[in-house]
Amino acid sequence: MTDLKVVMMGLGYIGLPTAALIASRGIKVQGIDVNQSVVDTINEGKIHIVEPALDGLVKHVVERGLLKASTTVDTADVYLIAVPTPFKGDHEPDLKYVESATRMILPNLKSGDLFIIESTSPVGTTDKMAKIIFEERPELKGKINIAYCPERVLPGKVIYELEHNDRVIGGLDEQSTKAAQDFYRHFVKGELHATNAKTAEMCKLVENSSRDVSIAFANELSMICDKARINVWELIKLANKHPRVNILQPGTGVGGHCIAVDPWFIVSEFEKEAIIIRNAREINNYKTEWVIEKIKSTALQFELDNNKKPTIALMGMAFKPDIDDLRESPSLQVADTLLDEGKFDLLLVEPNLEESNKYDLTDYEAINEKADIVAYLVAHKEFRGFTTEAIELDFCGVRK
Ligand SMILES: NC(=O)c1ccc[n+]([C@@H]2O[C@H](COP(=O)([O-])OP(=O)(O)OC[C@H]3O[C@@H](n4cnc5c(N)ncnc54)[C@H](O)[C@@H]3O)[C@@H](O)[C@H]2O)c1
């Protein structure tokens, strides 16, 4: 038990589990969100997001008075920022949420406090927020600790990974790095690697860009192999028998709110230098358009051969296998494009969702009697044993 007080700005997929985990160590946490219904839900001991084991943890810490949510910030010793960092316009990072959260904290800051940004951020963001703080509160110069510490958790395993993953911690100076390390030791069992703020910011962006580039290679191969009439899944399996080759699996594109977004934070700032990173983003985006064209040309051929329009099943709406998260999912782009064209009879299938407020979903077990073309967009486990008489288009390797 410590008498440390923590404020967590933003109670979403990252902020809420982090706040709850810190509170579970007996530390008083005030969770701040600008969304009143999020605040009300949490104060009832409930959660507004899907994440295994989080509901029990939140209930536990709220009932013990260790986590309390609010829309207004109280005084604390440690302030953490986990608000969204989307991009705007031509893939420019949008820092308005980080800046507004920083400004909400500003009046409460006092000597000795620790200010940490966890939101995925372009290089130099921590420095920018420090400038804002010291412009408004010049008397705090040299008296507070400011650091950047990115998140690298996997949705679905957030609680475990928050506790066990290694973390990279970069302060604006050595004392800040040390203060942040001391803080994370309260709840992180993984190693806490010290660096400076800029390197820590870039580290997060590079981790996701590295994944994006590797996936782009696999996606490019899938399009080359299609033209060359080579089975890409067999090819990758064979190439990976080489002891130093590890090619990833191709798919419908790249989705989610990290890998499809973060590389742009590098590209927008290092336009001339970030050639592979930009190309990878473009290849992965192009792969989704390629998938749409494949489905359309298969539908056209079906119509010519059978003199009737085919019914097309789109299998999997989530952005990756075995989750219900639709954010930035390439499957939605496929579905929306084909729906907008209005020329196709579509069945949308997502076994991880019972219902959707936007899409009319069909049970995958009913597909067999209804579909003429079955397009696998996401390799959900339910699709692995699926058998059908329909024409199959496997974009995710579920039938390999
Ligand atoms: N979700 C992930 O798996 C993941 C993984 C690694 C990094 N990240 C990064 O973590 C950050 C947060 O992502 P998330 O998925 O938790 O977002 P989220 O959208 O789930 O949650 C963000 C919350 O912040 C709130 N908010 C917005 N402005 C605020 C303000 N000024 N003060 C207080 N609250 C405010 C929103 O209402 C929302 O509830 C982003 O930078 C994201 O890129 C996310």
Side-chain angles (χ1 to χ4, degrees):
M1 199 56 142
T2 149
D3 51 11
L4 205 62
K5 278 199 201 126
V6 174
V7 158
M8 168 60 78
M9 303 296 290
L11 295 173
Y13 283 87
I14 294 298
L16 181 57
T18 307
L21 187 67
I22 298 169
S24 74
R25 301 294 190 265
I27 298 171
K28 281 217 164 163
V29 182
Q30 190 197 31
I32 307 294
D33 207 287
V34 288
N35 184 336
Q36 184 68 52
S37 85
V38 167
V39 167
D40 294 341
T41 306
I42 293 165
N43 283 337
E44 284 167 26
K46 296 183 187 148
I47 61 173
H48 60 294
I49 51 177
V50 179
E51 180 57 42
L54 182 62
D55 47 353
L57 188 65
V58 168
K59 189 169 184 290
H60 177 83
V61 290
V62 168
E63 278 175 1
R64 276 156 191 76
L66 290 163
L67 174 63
K68 195 163 170 19
S70 174
T71 54
T72 54
V73 187
D74 284 349
T75 305
D77 309 293
V78 182
Y79 297 87
L80 293 159
I81 300 214
V83 296
T85 40
F87 55 65
K88 57 183 177 186
D90 192 20
H91 301 117
E92 289 282 314
D94 188 353
L95 285 179
K96 72 167 182 263
Y97 300 101
V98 175
E99 185 174 336
S100 86
T102 304
R103 290 193 185 278
M104 281 167 78
I105 291 169
L106 252 171
N108 292 4
L109 284 174
K110 59 182 182 333
S111 179
D113 283 353
L114 174 59
F115 171 89
I116 303 173
I117 302 175
E118 290 200 348
S119 297
T120 303
S121 302
V123 174
T125 302
T126 313
D127 229 352
K128 265 191 201 152
M129 294 309 123
K131 281 205 179 86
I132 291 175
I133 292 172
F134 297 131
E135 261 164 33
E136 302 286 326
R137 304 281 310 275
E139 78 282 9
L140 289 176
K141 253 195 184 153
K143 296 199 176 128
I144 58 168
N145 296 307
I146 298 181
Y148 181 77
C149 178
E151 272 303 346
R152 30 163 78 141
V153 291
L154 184 71
K157 277 181 76 184
V158 170
I159 303 291
Y160 177 86
E161 293 211 347
L162 268 177
E163 196 175 348
H164 293 91
N165 287 357
D166 283 11
R167 297 193 73 140
V168 173
I169 300 179
L172 283 188
D173 48 40
E174 273 184 31
Q175 186 193 301
S176 297
T177 308
K178 165 96 181 42
Q181 278 179 307
D182 289 346
F183 169 66
Y184 281 102
R185 264 193 209 107
H186 286 291
F187 61 100
V188 175
K189 289 185 181 148
E191 262 187 71
L192 305 172
H193 303 274
T195 182
N196 55 53
K198 265 186 163 183
T199 308
E201 289 161 343
M202 187 60 111
C203 191
K204 171 69 191 174
L205 304 181
V206 162
E207 286 162 15
N208 282 339
S209 300
S210 157
R211 301 276 302 155
D212 204 36
V213 168
S214 302
I215 298 168
F217 182 70
N219 277 335
E220 185 166 291
L221 272 186
S222 71
M223 295 184 278
I224 293 170
C225 285
D226 184 75
K227 202 166 196 176
R229 296 183 184 279
I230 290 170
N231 179 328
V232 71
W233 315 104
E234 185 194 359
L235 175 79
I236 291 174
K237 197 165 134 197
L238 293 173
N240 284 348
K241 299 285 177 201
H242 184 293
R244 287 168 295 281
V245 172
N246 184 17
I247 304 170
L248 301 184
Q249 301 293 296
T252 305
V254 169
H257 37 278
C258 287
I259 298 180
V261 174
D262 303 350
W264 288 118
F265 289 10
I266 300 182
V267 174
S268 73
E269 201 179 341
F270 304 94
E271 219 177 305
K272 279 204 180 133
E273 296 81 7
I275 297 162
I276 293 180
I277 298 174
R278 173 191 278 278
N279 283 347
R281 256 319 42 247
E282 287 170 352
I283 291 165
N284 286 331
N285 283 345
Y286 174 67
K287 179 67 194 287
T288 311
E289 289 168 29
W290 185 90
V291 165
I292 295 169
E293 287 311 311
K294 269 276 156 206
I295 296 172
K296 280 163 62 173
S297 60
T298 308
L300 189 65
Q301 192 58 52
F302 181 94
E303 204 173 335
L304 288 174
D305 294 344
N306 298 280
N307 212 16
K308 67 161 188 154
K309 269 187 194 305
T311 297
I312 307 167
L314 300 181
M315 307 289 272
M317 293 291 114
F319 79 80
K320 63 177 190 175
D322 305 324
I323 60 163
D324 67 346
D325 194 340
L326 306 186
R327 291 190 287 176
E328 314 286 334
S329 173
S331 302
L332 299 187
Q333 190 187 330
V334 176
D336 288 343
T337 308
L338 296 178
L339 284 169
D340 283 352
E341 290 192 11
K343 293 187 206 145
F344 307 98
D345 292 328
L346 295 176
L347 302 169
L348 308 187
V349 179
E350 180 41 72
N352 295 293
L353 273 183
E354 278 183 14
E355 55 180 19
S356 151
N357 49 20
K358 184 170 174 204
Y359 300 99
D360 192 7
L361 298 177
T362 302
D363 188 349
Y364 77 95
E365 283 167 327
I367 287 302
N368 225 353
E369 297 120 51
K370 297 181 184 166
D372 302 301
I373 298 172
V374 175
Y376 299 98
L377 303 179
V378 188
H380 289 317
K381 62 178 183 306
E382 287 83 355
F383 303 156
R384 293 202 180 274
F386 191 69
T387 50
T388 178
E389 301 285 298
I391 298 168
E392 293 183 289
L393 296 173
D394 184 5
F395 297 112
C396 55
V398 77
R399 313 300 284 158
K400 66 178 185 255

